[in-house]
């Protein structure tokens, strides 16, 4: 492989490995979107916005506290939002290839 392919594959491998059990299954989105979502219900969600460029989404996960991270899959960056989250609006960067990751907070 040449170019950025190896680093992009490693980035995806790392995100997958961080899922409970290292497995991602298709699940319903805990949000006001029909964006593809994978993860483990009530524990770990990856909501992928692909080519759409929303400026925000409204998240409605099951009751509990969650960490929210914005993953830029193109630039291979992960930005964690401060604090914990229960439900509501999450601002997004309005770019393509953005994923929102929700994980249960300890």
């Amino acid at each position: 492989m040449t170019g950025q392919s190896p680093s992009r594959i490693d980035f995806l491998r790392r995100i997958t490995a961080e899922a409970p059990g290292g497995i991602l299954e298709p699940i319903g989105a805990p949000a006001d979107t029909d964006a593809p979502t994978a993860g483990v219900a009530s524990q770990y969600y990856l909501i992928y916005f692909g080519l759409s460029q929303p400026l925000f989404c409204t998240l409605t996960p099951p009751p509990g506290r969650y960490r929210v991270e914005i993953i830029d899959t193109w630039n291979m960056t992960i930005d964690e939002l401060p604090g914990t989250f229960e439900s509501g609006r999450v601002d997004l960067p309005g770019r393509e290839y953005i994923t929102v990751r929700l994980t249960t907070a300890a």
Side-chain angles (χ1 to χ4, degrees):
M1 286 185 250
T2 62
Q4 295 181 346
S5 295
S7 59
R8 292 184 186 285
I9 291 168
D10 285 342
F11 185 74
L12 177 59
R13 183 179 298 128
R14 186 180 76 163
I15 290 171
T16 302
E18 291 171 355
I23 297 172
L24 297 172
E25 295 287 338
I27 56 176
D32 63 344
T33 180
D34 60 355
T37 303
V40 177
S42 300
Q43 294 180 46
Y44 187 92
Y45 297 90
L46 289 173
I47 306 164
Y48 181 60
F49 291 96
L51 294 175
S52 64
Q53 301 175 37
L55 296 174
F56 68 91
C57 69
T58 303
L59 300 175
T60 54
R65 309 265 331 142
Y66 295 86
R67 290 180 29 229
V68 178
E69 297 166 294
I70 308 300
I71 302 173
D72 184 328
T73 62
W74 185 255
N75 293 312
M76 296 180 284
T77 61
I78 301 173
D79 296 313
E80 185 172 349
L81 300 183
T84 59
F85 177 87
E86 288 184 45
S87 67
R89 178 183 165 136
V90 172
D91 291 326
L92 301 174
R95 293 189 307 268
E96 298 173 331
Y97 313 120
I98 297 299
T99 298
V100 172
R101 177 164 53 184
L102 292 175
T103 55
T104 53

